């Protein structure tokens, strides 16, 4: 047991390997198609934002010093999209949200804080300060300053930022080609008729969609039997991929062909981690292609993908923050028996507390559907109800 590598150390080693083998191929895509992609260039702001002083509210733009002279006549109306004339001295301008503030005006009074007299002149009913309700030019960003850095994971908000700069095309990383296979004689494809002793392959669709969410192009190598020659042939066919991800067959049983092959012909860098579920997790270099060997049990495949494979892939993409976000939560149950491995419990958050889902078997996926995420229990630790632990939410992982 003491030979098991800690999750922390395994992750550090994986990230080191990943940073040393970054994906570099780039392509230009339309900003509207860039959701989930990784920016491959440093971008500077091309313009000040806002590009000019504009009104934050519907109201009246005026010069503060003019207010003392009494009610102000309205000398012009400015809607968003119009270009105003300079403010005539001793007057105000009717302005609407987003409209440029006329030169010479130094504040905007909200329309609800004004009264208008019989001659249509405006009286301010509340005190004002210079700059009130004006969104200043360059207040969000200045032209020529850094906008987004290479390695930014582009999400809808980032795409909005690019669009605001008038950017229509961006350089992103090409989708990494990831070969995916399931291993095991017992696996049948959903849709087929289940033969005695068979189970349906759940890992491949689970992992394929997780990979696609990370912006990968999945090369589906299908299901491979527990047969050394077949495994070798299929893996040889993935030589042009940037990564191979397999599930199952990495333990030391007689049928664990992938593990056997990796130990024979590859360079096994990580194997057997102090993680539950997920102990058989393997990382090996197979010729020029790295291989992540995930455990076969679906719950284990899920947990090791989220905690290890995902950060590894993000690191190769040049993303800076790769570890799953952890937040403290209150345990709604006790954990009186310390485990030897760091454990990830499927929990549901209810009333601000983590409730343990009943089925924690590594063989089950269903309880992970009901879960909001994983509660991290360090090896060798116990806790009482009410204690605070780290929680990794599925939301934060895009699930
Ligand atoms: P193994 O690591 O090959 O011993 O597999 C561990 C367990 O996971 C076994 O019960 C397998 O039947 C199961 N398993 C392996 N691959 C899959 C898969 N793709 N989908 C669902 N279960 C699997
Ligand atoms: Mg197997």
């Amino acid at each position: 047991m003491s030979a098991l590598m800690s999750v922390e150390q395994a992750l550090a080693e994986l990230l080191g390997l990943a940073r040393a083998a970054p994906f570099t191929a780039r392509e230009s895509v339309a900003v509207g198609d860039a959701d989930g992609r990784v920016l491959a260039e440093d971008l500077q702001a091309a313009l000040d934002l806002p590009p000019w002083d504009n009104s934050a509210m519907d109201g009246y733009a005026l010069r503060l010093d003019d207010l003392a002279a009494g009610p102000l006549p309205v000398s012009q109306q400015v809607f968003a999209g119009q270009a105003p004339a300079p403010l005539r001295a001793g007057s105000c301008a009717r302005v609407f949200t987003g409209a440029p503030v006329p030169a010479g005006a130094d504040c905007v009074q909200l329309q609800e804080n004004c009264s208008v007299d019989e001659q249509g002149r405006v009286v301010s009913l509340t005190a004002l300060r210079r700059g009130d309700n004006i969104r200043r030019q360059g207040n969000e960003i200045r032209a020529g300053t850094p906008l987004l850095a290479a390695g930014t994971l582009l999400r809808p908000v980032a795409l909005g930022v690019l669009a605001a700069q008038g950017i229509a095309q961006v350089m992103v990383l090409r989708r990494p080609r990831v070969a995916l296979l399931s291993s095991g004689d017992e696996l049948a494809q959903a849709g087929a008729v289940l033969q005695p002793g068979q189970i349906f392959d759940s890992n491949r669709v689970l992992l394929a969609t997780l990979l696609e969410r990370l912006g990968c192009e999945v090369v589906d190598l299908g299901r491979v039997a527990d047969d050394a020659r077949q495994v070798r042939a299929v893996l040889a066919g993935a030589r042009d991929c940037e990564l191979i991800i397999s599930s199952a067959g990495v333990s030391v049983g007689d049928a664990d062909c992938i593990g056997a092959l990796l130990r024979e012909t590859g360079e096994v860098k990580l194997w057997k981690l102090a993680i539950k579920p997920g102990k058989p997790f393997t990382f090996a270099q197979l010729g020029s292609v790295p291989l992540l060997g995930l455990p076969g049990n679906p719950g284990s495949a899920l947990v090791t993908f989220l905690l290890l494979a995902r950060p590894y892939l993000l690191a190769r993409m040049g993303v800076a923050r790769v570890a799953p976000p952890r937040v403290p939560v209150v345990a709604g149950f006790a954990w009186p028996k310390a485990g030897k491995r760091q454990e990830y419990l499927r929990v549901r958050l209810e009333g601000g507390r983590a409730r343990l889902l009943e089925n924690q078997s590594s063989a089950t996926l269903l309880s992970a559907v009901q879960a909001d995420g994983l509660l991290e229990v360090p090896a060798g630790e116990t806790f009482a109800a009410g204690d605070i632990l780290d929680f990794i939410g599925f939301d934060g992982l895009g699930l």
Side-chain angles (χ1 to χ4, degrees):
M1 272 303 185
S2 57
L4 300 184
M5 185 186 280
S6 73
V7 178
E8 198 182 13
Q9 193 190 339
L11 184 60
E13 297 211 3
L14 275 176
L15 295 186
L17 292 161
R19 301 276 183 215
F23 301 131
T24 53
R26 314 191 306 170
E27 64 183 343
S28 173
V29 298
V31 164
D33 296 330
D35 182 33
R37 307 295 295 272
V38 175
L39 189 63
E41 58 184 342
D42 288 326
L43 291 177
Q44 315 269 302
L47 11 129
D48 285 348
L49 271 188
W52 17 259
D53 292 355
N54 71 97
S55 179
M57 306 296 255
D58 294 342
Y60 298 91
L62 52 91
R63 199 177 345 234
L64 200 58
D65 291 344
D66 289 346
L67 276 177
L72 299 173
V74 178
S75 55
Q76 61 176 320
Q77 275 205 73
V78 196
F79 290 95
Q82 294 182 334
L87 186 69
R88 218 179 62 210
S91 78
C92 65
R94 179 86 172 107
V95 291
F96 299 92
T97 305
V101 171
D106 55 16
C107 58
V108 169
Q109 177 58 295
L110 313 191
Q111 60 189 25
E112 49 271 47
N113 292 341
C114 293
S115 68
V116 180
D117 68 14
E118 320 79 68
Q119 286 118 295
R121 294 175 311 175
V122 174
V123 178
S124 171
L125 302 174
T126 63
L128 267 176
R129 282 168 314 177
R130 223 162 249 112
D132 276 359
N133 304 311
I134 294 180
R135 301 188 285 215
R136 290 288 176 202
Q137 175 172 351
N139 152 285
E140 182 180 341
I141 194 160
R142 285 275 172 206
T145 61
L147 181 69
L148 296 177
T152 299
L153 197 50
L154 297 175
R155 295 287 187 211
V157 180
L159 302 186
V161 165
L162 296 177
Q165 284 287 326
I167 297 169
Q169 289 277 131
V170 273
M171 287 302 282
V172 296
L173 284 182
R174 223 191 51 205
R175 292 184 188 281
R177 276 166 61 80
V178 179
L180 179 66
L181 64 126
S182 290
S183 108
D185 284 347
E186 73 277 32
L187 300 177
Q189 180 74 21
V193 177
L194 212 53
Q195 300 301 318
Q198 288 190 322
I199 59 166
F200 288 120
D201 178 351
S202 46
N203 291 345
R204 201 141 41 89
V205 71
L206 166 73
L207 297 169
T209 43
L210 285 167
L211 286 166
E212 279 160 9
R213 288 251 174 128
L214 282 179
C216 298
E217 179 193 331
V218 176
V219 178
D220 188 355
L221 300 182
R223 184 218 61 137
V224 185
D226 292 318
D227 173 89
R229 277 183 42 207
Q230 240 198 73
V231 169
R232 194 171 300 130
V234 167
L235 292 181
R239 282 289 136 93
D240 63 333
C241 289
E242 288 155 296
L243 177 67
I244 301 169
I245 293 188
S246 65
S247 74
V250 282
S251 299
V252 278
D254 290 345
D256 289 324
C257 293
I258 295 186
L261 181 86
L262 293 176
R263 284 186 290 278
E264 245 168 62
T265 64
E267 198 188 327
V268 177
K269 295 185 188 278
L270 298 176
W271 184 41
K272 287 191 178 167
L273 310 184
I275 185 172
K276 186 177 179 184
K279 185 173 81 170
F281 177 88
T282 304
F283 181 90
Q285 188 68 35
L286 200 63
S288 61
V289 192
L291 182 147
L292 286 171
L294 305 186
N297 277 311
S300 311
L302 172 68
V303 166
T304 52
F305 183 91
L306 297 178
L307 294 173
L308 299 163
R310 180 179 181 275
Y312 169 83
L313 270 161
L314 290 174
R316 287 188 72 183
M317 292 175 187
V319 174
R321 274 180 61 192
V322 300
R326 286 165 167 79
V327 293
V329 302
V330 178
F333 57 97
W335 194 252
K337 195 166 166 283
K340 293 202 169 86
R341 294 177 269 158
Q342 181 146 305
E343 194 150 350
Y344 291 90
L345 302 174
R346 283 156 257 183
V347 296
R348 210 178 153 91
L349 299 184
E350 281 167 6
R353 298 188 144 218
R355 174 168 76 78
L356 184 69
L357 291 169
E358 205 173 306
N359 195 341
Q360 294 290 329
S361 163
S362 61
T364 184
L365 269 188
L366 197 53
S367 60
V369 174
Q370 292 143 5
D372 292 313
L374 304 169
L375 196 69
E376 190 172 56
V377 187
E381 288 191 15
T382 59
F383 61 84
D387 285 357
I388 292 178
L389 284 101
D390 277 343
F391 168 78
I392 298 167
F394 289 153
D395 279 352
L397 302 172
L399 298 186

